[in-house]
Amino acid sequence: AGIYEGLAYWAGPFYLPTLQAIVRGGYNLGADGTLDDLWSALGFLGIGFALSIVVGMFFGILMGTSKLADYVLGPYVRALFVTSLVAVLPVLIIIFGFELPFRVAVVFLFSVFFIILNTATGVRNVDRELQAMGRAFVASRRKRIFAISIPSAAPFIISGIRLGLANAFSGMILAELWITRGL
């Protein structure tokens, strides 16, 4: 703390704030209600992102294990993945209004497609020998999905969740901007 304080005085307040300025700034954030707004925003981020993980993994596993599901759902998922979701925000406002459902829907839409596509890709790329081994041991389709496909696709799933989380933060910020600006 002493070294930091010395560096802060040496660099100046423009480059590095002093510890006293940091504490004062934190107190001011709490006093004027900004921290309450931050916790509220993080709350709907958590709800929307948790929903996108559940829905994304479900549809990703479905699309990865079923060619019919990929044939039916794939074009829509891929089309929405490349669509500029900022352009969809006015439609979401008309549907949900400015309250919590709008914020959750924005976070959800910004993150779910990364999770769906990465999960589907991971499940589709499971080693064929592992699948054959599961069939040889007469494992049911459900057992092969939960014991072989999902664990094998875990790196893809985690990667999709990480990408989805980064975009969920973008969605959270955009939703807050649209709401606070009164558009």
Side-chain angles (χ1 to χ4, degrees):
I3 294 171
Y4 178 84
E5 194 71 20
L7 286 173
Y9 280 115
W10 178 75
F14 181 76
Y15 295 106
L16 197 61
T18 62
L19 291 175
Q20 181 183 6
I22 292 172
V23 171
R24 192 176 335 115
Y27 176 77
N28 290 340
L29 284 176
D32 69 2
T34 304
L35 285 180
D36 295 335
D37 294 337
L38 175 66
W39 290 119
S40 170
L42 290 177
F44 76 77
L45 173 79
I47 294 169
F49 188 62
L51 198 63
S52 71
I53 289 174
V54 171
V55 171
M57 284 186 60
F58 175 78
F59 282 108
I61 292 168
L62 183 67
M63 287 172 54
T65 56
S66 170
K67 290 184 180 184
L68 177 63
D70 189 42
Y71 181 75
V72 172
L73 298 173
Y76 298 109
V77 169
R78 289 176 189 91
L80 287 170
F81 177 70
V82 297
T83 300
S84 172
L85 295 174
V86 177
V88 179
L89 290 180
V91 175
L92 292 176
I93 290 172
I94 292 170
I95 294 171
F96 295 112
F98 281 114
E99 298 303 316
L100 179 71
F102 166 71
R103 297 171 177 183
V104 170
V106 171
V107 170
F108 176 81
L109 285 176
F110 268 70
S111 59
V112 73
F113 300 112
F114 288 94
I115 298 169
I116 291 173
L117 291 174
N118 277 344
T119 302
T121 301
V123 169
R124 234 181 270 120
N125 289 325
V126 172
D127 188 12
R128 299 289 174 215
E129 292 178 7
L130 288 175
Q131 293 287 4
M133 180 192 66
R135 283 190 294 277
F137 282 106
V138 194
S140 66
R141 178 174 168 83
R142 193 181 98 214
K143 183 74 171 177
R144 285 194 314 262
I145 289 170
F146 284 102
I148 297 172
S149 296
I150 293 175
S152 296
F156 287 90
I157 295 170
I158 298 299
S159 176
I161 290 172
R162 287 178 62 194
L163 290 169
L165 182 60
N167 281 289
F169 273 103
S170 298
M172 177 189 72
I173 292 167
L174 275 173
E176 284 297 317
L177 285 174
W178 277 68
I179 288 172
T180 58
R181 300 292 291 175
L183 300 175

mmCIF file of all heavy atoms in Angstrom, residues 99-134:
data_model
loop_
_atom_site.group_PDB
_atom_site.id
_atom_site.type_symbol
_atom_site.label_atom_id
_atom_site.label_comp_id
_atom_site.label_asym_id
_atom_site.label_seq_id
_atom_site.Cartn_x
_atom_site.Cartn_y
_atom_site.Cartn_z
ATOM 1 N N GLU A 99 -38.625 -3.351 -18.871
ATOM 2 C CA GLU A 99 -38.374 -3.936 -17.562
ATOM 3 C C GLU A 99 -37.431 -5.139 -17.659
ATOM 4 O O GLU A 99 -36.758 -5.343 -18.647
ATOM 5 C CB GLU A 99 -39.700 -4.317 -16.908
ATOM 6 C CG GLU A 99 -40.611 -3.139 -16.662
ATOM 7 C CD GLU A 99 -39.973 -2.061 -15.799
ATOM 8 O OE1 GLU A 99 -39.327 -2.385 -14.787
ATOM 9 O OE2 GLU A 99 -40.130 -0.871 -16.138
ATOM 10 N N LEU A 100 -37.423 -5.928 -16.605
ATOM 11 C CA LEU A 100 -36.518 -7.069 -16.471
ATOM 12 C C LEU A 100 -36.582 -8.052 -17.642
ATOM 13 O O LEU A 100 -35.533 -8.498 -18.116
ATOM 14 C CB LEU A 100 -36.796 -7.793 -15.147
ATOM 15 C CG LEU A 100 -35.937 -9.019 -14.872
ATOM 16 C CD1 LEU A 100 -34.506 -8.599 -14.563
ATOM 17 C CD2 LEU A 100 -36.514 -9.824 -13.737
ATOM 18 N N PRO A 101 -37.757 -8.410 -18.165
ATOM 19 C CA PRO A 101 -37.764 -9.359 -19.287
ATOM 20 C C PRO A 101 -36.971 -8.873 -20.502
ATOM 21 O O PRO A 101 -36.324 -9.671 -21.178
ATOM 22 C CB PRO A 101 -39.247 -9.508 -19.622
ATOM 23 C CG PRO A 101 -39.948 -9.185 -18.364
ATOM 24 C CD PRO A 101 -39.117 -8.130 -17.698
ATOM 25 N N PHE A 102 -37.017 -7.573 -20.775
ATOM 26 C CA PHE A 102 -36.229 -7.038 -21.892
ATOM 27 C C PHE A 102 -34.745 -7.235 -21.649
ATOM 28 O O PHE A 102 -34.007 -7.694 -22.522
ATOM 29 C CB PHE A 102 -36.537 -5.550 -22.092
ATOM 30 C CG PHE A 102 -35.563 -4.835 -22.981
ATOM 31 C CD1 PHE A 102 -35.546 -5.074 -24.342
ATOM 32 C CD2 PHE A 102 -34.647 -3.943 -22.448
ATOM 33 C CE1 PHE A 102 -34.639 -4.427 -25.164
ATOM 34 C CE2 PHE A 102 -33.746 -3.288 -23.260
ATOM 35 C CZ PHE A 102 -33.735 -3.528 -24.626
ATOM 36 N N ARG A 103 -34.288 -6.910 -20.468
ATOM 37 C CA ARG A 103 -32.865 -7.031 -20.150
ATOM 38 C C ARG A 103 -32.412 -8.481 -20.217
ATOM 39 O O ARG A 103 -31.350 -8.778 -20.763
ATOM 40 C CB ARG A 103 -32.596 -6.458 -18.766
ATOM 41 C CG ARG A 103 -32.881 -4.991 -18.659
ATOM 42 C CD ARG A 103 -32.801 -4.537 -17.235
ATOM 43 N NE ARG A 103 -33.004 -3.097 -17.118
ATOM 44 C CZ ARG A 103 -32.928 -2.462 -15.992
ATOM 45 N NH1 ARG A 103 -32.654 -3.094 -14.874
ATOM 46 N NH2 ARG A 103 -33.119 -1.160 -15.959
ATOM 47 N N VAL A 104 -33.208 -9.376 -19.672
ATOM 48 C CA VAL A 104 -32.860 -10.801 -19.698
ATOM 49 C C VAL A 104 -32.853 -11.314 -21.133
ATOM 50 O O VAL A 104 -31.963 -12.078 -21.527
ATOM 51 C CB VAL A 104 -33.837 -11.604 -18.806
ATOM 52 C CG1 VAL A 104 -33.657 -13.097 -19.000
ATOM 53 C CG2 VAL A 104 -33.648 -11.230 -17.344
ATOM 54 N N ALA A 105 -33.824 -10.897 -21.931
ATOM 55 C CA ALA A 105 -33.887 -11.350 -23.324
ATOM 56 C C ALA A 105 -32.681 -10.867 -24.122
ATOM 57 O O ALA A 105 -32.140 -11.617 -24.954
ATOM 58 C CB ALA A 105 -35.185 -10.853 -23.979
ATOM 59 N N VAL A 106 -32.238 -9.652 -23.890
ATOM 60 C CA VAL A 106 -31.061 -9.140 -24.605
ATOM 61 C C VAL A 106 -29.825 -9.945 -24.240
ATOM 62 O O VAL A 106 -29.069 -10.388 -25.109
ATOM 63 C CB VAL A 106 -30.861 -7.636 -24.323
ATOM 64 C CG1 VAL A 106 -29.536 -7.161 -24.871
ATOM 65 C CG2 VAL A 106 -31.992 -6.829 -24.922
ATOM 66 N N VAL A 107 -29.605 -10.161 -22.959
ATOM 67 C CA VAL A 107 -28.445 -10.949 -22.522
ATOM 68 C C VAL A 107 -28.537 -12.363 -23.085
ATOM 69 O O VAL A 107 -27.554 -12.916 -23.578
ATOM 70 C CB VAL A 107 -28.349 -10.969 -20.980
ATOM 71 C CG1 VAL A 107 -27.325 -11.970 -20.503
ATOM 72 C CG2 VAL A 107 -28.020 -9.580 -20.464
ATOM 73 N N PHE A 108 -29.727 -12.942 -23.039
ATOM 74 C CA PHE A 108 -29.942 -14.286 -23.563
ATOM 75 C C PHE A 108 -29.593 -14.367 -25.049
ATOM 76 O O PHE A 108 -28.837 -15.248 -25.467
ATOM 77 C CB PHE A 108 -31.404 -14.692 -23.336
ATOM 78 C CG PHE A 108 -31.769 -16.018 -23.926
ATOM 79 C CD1 PHE A 108 -31.472 -17.184 -23.260
ATOM 80 C CD2 PHE A 108 -32.418 -16.086 -25.143
ATOM 81 C CE1 PHE A 108 -31.809 -18.411 -23.794
ATOM 82 C CE2 PHE A 108 -32.758 -17.298 -25.696
ATOM 83 C CZ PHE A 108 -32.463 -18.471 -25.022
ATOM 84 N N LEU A 109 -30.131 -13.455 -25.836
ATOM 85 C CA LEU A 109 -29.888 -13.495 -27.282
ATOM 86 C C LEU A 109 -28.430 -13.233 -27.637
ATOM 87 O O LEU A 109 -27.916 -13.782 -28.611
ATOM 88 C CB LEU A 109 -30.782 -12.485 -28.000
ATOM 89 C CG LEU A 109 -32.238 -12.894 -28.131
ATOM 90 C CD1 LEU A 109 -33.041 -11.776 -28.768
ATOM 91 C CD2 LEU A 109 -32.373 -14.170 -28.926
ATOM 92 N N PHE A 110 -27.766 -12.401 -26.867
ATOM 93 C CA PHE A 110 -26.373 -12.110 -27.163
ATOM 94 C C PHE A 110 -25.461 -13.298 -26.864
ATOM 95 O O PHE A 110 -24.360 -13.363 -27.387
ATOM 96 C CB PHE A 110 -25.907 -10.875 -26.387
ATOM 97 C CG PHE A 110 -26.069 -9.592 -27.131
ATOM 98 C CD1 PHE A 110 -27.320 -9.063 -27.366
ATOM 99 C CD2 PHE A 110 -24.974 -8.913 -27.614
ATOM 100 C CE1 PHE A 110 -27.481 -7.882 -28.067
ATOM 101 C CE2 PHE A 110 -25.122 -7.721 -28.307
ATOM 102 C CZ PHE A 110 -26.380 -7.208 -28.533
ATOM 103 N N SER A 111 -25.895 -14.226 -26.024
ATOM 104 C CA SER A 111 -24.994 -15.302 -25.618
ATOM 105 C C SER A 111 -25.405 -16.692 -26.077
ATOM 106 O O SER A 111 -24.548 -17.567 -26.224
ATOM 107 C CB SER A 111 -24.845 -15.299 -24.095
ATOM 108 O OG SER A 111 -26.086 -15.478 -23.470
ATOM 109 N N VAL A 112 -26.664 -16.948 -26.318
ATOM 110 C CA VAL A 112 -27.126 -18.320 -26.519
ATOM 111 C C VAL A 112 -26.589 -18.969 -27.799
ATOM 112 O O VAL A 112 -26.309 -20.171 -27.819
ATOM 113 C CB VAL A 112 -28.670 -18.391 -26.475
ATOM 114 C CG1 VAL A 112 -29.292 -17.789 -27.722
ATOM 115 C CG2 VAL A 112 -29.129 -19.818 -26.271
ATOM 116 N N PHE A 113 -26.402 -18.207 -28.853
ATOM 117 C CA PHE A 113 -26.013 -18.818 -30.121
ATOM 118 C C PHE A 113 -24.580 -19.331 -30.097
ATOM 119 O O PHE A 113 -24.259 -20.331 -30.743
ATOM 120 C CB PHE A 113 -26.245 -17.841 -31.277
ATOM 121 C CG PHE A 113 -27.688 -17.443 -31.382
ATOM 122 C CD1 PHE A 113 -28.095 -16.156 -31.111
ATOM 123 C CD2 PHE A 113 -28.650 -18.380 -31.709
ATOM 124 C CE1 PHE A 113 -29.427 -15.800 -31.179
ATOM 125 C CE2 PHE A 113 -29.990 -18.040 -31.781
ATOM 126 C CZ PHE A 113 -30.373 -16.743 -31.516
ATOM 127 N N PHE A 114 -23.711 -18.680 -29.350
ATOM 128 C CA PHE A 114 -22.346 -19.189 -29.194
ATOM 129 C C PHE A 114 -22.362 -20.541 -28.492
ATOM 130 O O PHE A 114 -21.623 -21.454 -28.856
ATOM 131 C CB PHE A 114 -21.489 -18.194 -28.394
ATOM 132 C CG PHE A 114 -21.144 -16.962 -29.140
ATOM 133 C CD1 PHE A 114 -21.919 -15.825 -29.019
ATOM 134 C CD2 PHE A 114 -20.049 -16.934 -29.981
ATOM 135 C CE1 PHE A 114 -21.604 -14.679 -29.724
ATOM 136 C CE2 PHE A 114 -19.723 -15.798 -30.679
ATOM 137 C CZ PHE A 114 -20.503 -14.661 -30.553
ATOM 138 N N ILE A 115 -23.205 -20.656 -27.489
ATOM 139 C CA ILE A 115 -23.277 -21.899 -26.729
ATOM 140 C C ILE A 115 -23.884 -23.010 -27.573
ATOM 141 O O ILE A 115 -23.382 -24.142 -27.590
ATOM 142 C CB ILE A 115 -24.075 -21.672 -25.425
ATOM 143 C CG1 ILE A 115 -23.360 -20.634 -24.559
ATOM 144 C CG2 ILE A 115 -24.241 -22.976 -24.660
ATOM 145 C CD1 ILE A 115 -24.157 -20.133 -23.385
ATOM 146 N N ILE A 116 -24.941 -22.706 -28.298
ATOM 147 C CA ILE A 116 -25.580 -23.727 -29.143
ATOM 148 C C ILE A 116 -24.599 -24.246 -30.184
ATOM 149 O O ILE A 116 -24.412 -25.465 -30.334
ATOM 150 C CB ILE A 116 -26.837 -23.162 -29.844
ATOM 151 C CG1 ILE A 116 -27.946 -22.891 -28.847
ATOM 152 C CG2 ILE A 116 -27.326 -24.127 -30.918
ATOM 153 C CD1 ILE A 116 -29.152 -22.182 -29.438
ATOM 154 N N LEU A 117 -23.975 -23.343 -30.925
ATOM 155 C CA LEU A 117 -23.116 -23.778 -32.033
ATOM 156 C C LEU A 117 -21.864 -24.499 -31.541
ATOM 157 O O LEU A 117 -21.458 -25.508 -32.134
ATOM 158 C CB LEU A 117 -22.755 -22.581 -32.908
ATOM 159 C CG LEU A 117 -23.935 -22.003 -33.691
ATOM 160 C CD1 LEU A 117 -23.521 -20.745 -34.422
ATOM 161 C CD2 LEU A 117 -24.484 -23.020 -34.670
ATOM 162 N N ASN A 118 -21.252 -24.023 -30.473
ATOM 163 C CA ASN A 118 -20.066 -24.718 -29.971
ATOM 164 C C ASN A 118 -20.418 -26.071 -29.379
ATOM 165 O O ASN A 118 -19.670 -27.042 -29.570
ATOM 166 C CB ASN A 118 -19.341 -23.865 -28.936
ATOM 167 C CG ASN A 118 -18.439 -22.850 -29.579
ATOM 168 O OD1 ASN A 118 -18.109 -22.936 -30.750
ATOM 169 N ND2 ASN A 118 -18.031 -21.876 -28.811
ATOM 170 N N THR A 119 -21.522 -26.168 -28.669
ATOM 171 C CA THR A 119 -21.936 -27.461 -28.106
ATOM 172 C C THR A 119 -22.253 -28.446 -29.221
ATOM 173 O O THR A 119 -21.832 -29.608 -29.165
ATOM 174 C CB THR A 119 -23.153 -27.279 -27.182
ATOM 175 O OG1 THR A 119 -22.811 -26.366 -26.147
ATOM 176 C CG2 THR A 119 -23.581 -28.591 -26.584
ATOM 177 N N ALA A 120 -22.981 -28.002 -30.231
ATOM 178 C CA ALA A 120 -23.316 -28.889 -31.354
ATOM 179 C C ALA A 120 -22.055 -29.360 -32.069
ATOM 180 O O ALA A 120 -21.934 -30.541 -32.413
ATOM 181 C CB ALA A 120 -24.250 -28.173 -32.334
ATOM 182 N N THR A 121 -21.109 -28.470 -32.265
ATOM 183 C CA THR A 121 -19.860 -28.847 -32.921
ATOM 184 C C THR A 121 -19.081 -29.859 -32.080
ATOM 185 O O THR A 121 -18.544 -30.836 -32.601
ATOM 186 C CB THR A 121 -18.984 -27.604 -33.182
ATOM 187 O OG1 THR A 121 -19.726 -26.698 -34.003
ATOM 188 C CG2 THR A 121 -17.693 -27.971 -33.867
ATOM 189 N N GLY A 122 -19.028 -29.622 -30.779
ATOM 190 C CA GLY A 122 -18.317 -30.547 -29.896
ATOM 191 C C GLY A 122 -18.957 -31.921 -29.865
ATOM 192 O O GLY A 122 -18.263 -32.940 -29.920
ATOM 193 N N VAL A 123 -20.277 -31.980 -29.802
ATOM 194 C CA VAL A 123 -20.971 -33.267 -29.766
ATOM 195 C C VAL A 123 -20.825 -33.982 -31.107
ATOM 196 O O VAL A 123 -20.684 -35.209 -31.165
ATOM 197 C CB VAL A 123 -22.456 -33.065 -29.387
ATOM 198 C CG1 VAL A 123 -23.266 -34.325 -29.586
ATOM 199 C CG2 VAL A 123 -22.563 -32.582 -27.954
ATOM 200 N N ARG A 124 -20.841 -33.231 -32.183
ATOM 201 C CA ARG A 124 -20.675 -33.827 -33.511
ATOM 202 C C ARG A 124 -19.269 -34.402 -33.721
ATOM 203 O O ARG A 124 -19.106 -35.350 -34.483
ATOM 204 C CB ARG A 124 -20.943 -32.759 -34.571
ATOM 205 C CG ARG A 124 -21.973 -33.174 -35.572
ATOM 206 C CD ARG A 124 -22.209 -32.113 -36.617
ATOM 207 N NE ARG A 124 -23.268 -31.214 -36.171
ATOM 208 C CZ ARG A 124 -23.145 -29.918 -35.977
ATOM 209 N NH1 ARG A 124 -22.003 -29.322 -36.215
ATOM 210 N NH2 ARG A 124 -24.156 -29.188 -35.566
ATOM 211 N N ASN A 125 -18.280 -33.837 -33.056
ATOM 212 C CA ASN A 125 -16.891 -34.246 -33.273
ATOM 213 C C ASN A 125 -16.372 -35.229 -32.230
ATOM 214 O O ASN A 125 -15.169 -35.336 -32.039
ATOM 215 C CB ASN A 125 -15.984 -33.009 -33.295
ATOM 216 C CG ASN A 125 -16.205 -32.195 -34.545
ATOM 217 O OD1 ASN A 125 -16.459 -32.735 -35.613
ATOM 218 N ND2 ASN A 125 -16.139 -30.886 -34.410
ATOM 219 N N VAL A 126 -17.261 -35.935 -31.559
ATOM 220 C CA VAL A 126 -16.834 -36.954 -30.601
ATOM 221 C C VAL A 126 -16.167 -38.087 -31.382
ATOM 222 O O VAL A 126 -16.613 -38.458 -32.472
ATOM 223 C CB VAL A 126 -18.044 -37.473 -29.786
ATOM 224 C CG1 VAL A 126 -17.659 -38.664 -28.925
ATOM 225 C CG2 VAL A 126 -18.592 -36.364 -28.933
ATOM 226 N N ASP A 127 -15.117 -38.621 -30.811
ATOM 227 C CA ASP A 127 -14.354 -39.691 -31.454
ATOM 228 C C ASP A 127 -15.275 -40.857 -31.818
ATOM 229 O O ASP A 127 -16.022 -41.365 -30.975
ATOM 230 C CB ASP A 127 -13.235 -40.146 -30.511
ATOM 231 C CG ASP A 127 -12.281 -41.119 -31.164
ATOM 232 O OD1 ASP A 127 -12.325 -41.280 -32.397
ATOM 233 O OD2 ASP A 127 -11.482 -41.721 -30.416
ATOM 234 N N ARG A 128 -15.216 -41.300 -33.057
ATOM 235 C CA ARG A 128 -16.082 -42.387 -33.541
ATOM 236 C C ARG A 128 -15.812 -43.696 -32.795
ATOM 237 O O ARG A 128 -16.710 -44.499 -32.596
ATOM 238 C CB ARG A 128 -15.881 -42.599 -35.044
ATOM 239 C CG ARG A 128 -16.216 -41.393 -35.880
ATOM 240 C CD ARG A 128 -17.693 -41.148 -35.911
ATOM 241 N NE ARG A 128 -17.972 -39.909 -36.611
ATOM 242 C CZ ARG A 128 -18.941 -39.097 -36.300
ATOM 243 N NH1 ARG A 128 -19.735 -39.380 -35.308
ATOM 244 N NH2 ARG A 128 -19.146 -37.995 -36.956
ATOM 245 N N GLU A 129 -14.566 -43.912 -32.390
ATOM 246 C CA GLU A 129 -14.244 -45.133 -31.652
ATOM 247 C C GLU A 129 -14.910 -45.150 -30.286
ATOM 248 O O GLU A 129 -15.332 -46.202 -29.814
ATOM 249 C CB GLU A 129 -12.732 -45.273 -31.515
ATOM 250 C CG GLU A 129 -12.041 -45.549 -32.838
ATOM 251 C CD GLU A 129 -10.532 -45.646 -32.695
ATOM 252 O OE1 GLU A 129 -10.028 -45.626 -31.562
ATOM 253 O OE2 GLU A 129 -9.870 -45.745 -33.736
ATOM 254 N N LEU A 130 -15.016 -43.990 -29.639
ATOM 255 C CA LEU A 130 -15.727 -43.926 -28.368
ATOM 256 C C LEU A 130 -17.217 -44.223 -28.550
ATOM 257 O O LEU A 130 -17.830 -44.927 -27.745
ATOM 258 C CB LEU A 130 -15.556 -42.554 -27.719
ATOM 259 C CG LEU A 130 -14.193 -42.227 -27.127
ATOM 260 C CD1 LEU A 130 -14.160 -40.783 -26.645
ATOM 261 C CD2 LEU A 130 -13.881 -43.171 -25.984
ATOM 262 N N GLN A 131 -17.775 -43.692 -29.619
ATOM 263 C CA GLN A 131 -19.188 -43.975 -29.908
ATOM 264 C C GLN A 131 -19.392 -45.457 -30.192
ATOM 265 O O GLN A 131 -20.355 -46.073 -29.733
ATOM 266 C CB GLN A 131 -19.672 -43.132 -31.100
ATOM 267 C CG GLN A 131 -19.726 -41.663 -30.841
ATOM 268 C CD GLN A 131 -20.878 -41.266 -29.933
ATOM 269 O OE1 GLN A 131 -21.617 -42.084 -29.417
ATOM 270 N NE2 GLN A 131 -21.011 -39.974 -29.708
ATOM 271 N N ALA A 132 -18.476 -46.046 -30.960
ATOM 272 C CA ALA A 132 -18.569 -47.471 -31.270
ATOM 273 C C ALA A 132 -18.427 -48.317 -30.003
ATOM 274 O O ALA A 132 -19.115 -49.337 -29.845
ATOM 275 C CB ALA A 132 -17.505 -47.857 -32.289
ATOM 276 N N MET A 133 -17.551 -47.899 -29.098
ATOM 277 C CA MET A 133 -17.394 -48.622 -27.841
ATOM 278 C C MET A 133 -18.695 -48.574 -27.034
ATOM 279 O O MET A 133 -19.114 -49.575 -26.452
ATOM 280 C CB MET A 133 -16.256 -48.016 -27.025
ATOM 281 C CG MET A 133 -16.050 -48.721 -25.699
ATOM 282 S SD MET A 133 -14.959 -47.838 -24.595
ATOM 283 C CE MET A 133 -15.909 -46.373 -24.261
ATOM 284 N N GLY A 134 -19.347 -47.427 -26.998
ATOM 285 C CA GLY A 134 -20.614 -47.313 -26.295
ATOM 286 C C GLY A 134 -21.678 -48.220 -26.883
ATOM 287 O O GLY A 134 -22.445 -48.857 -26.148
#
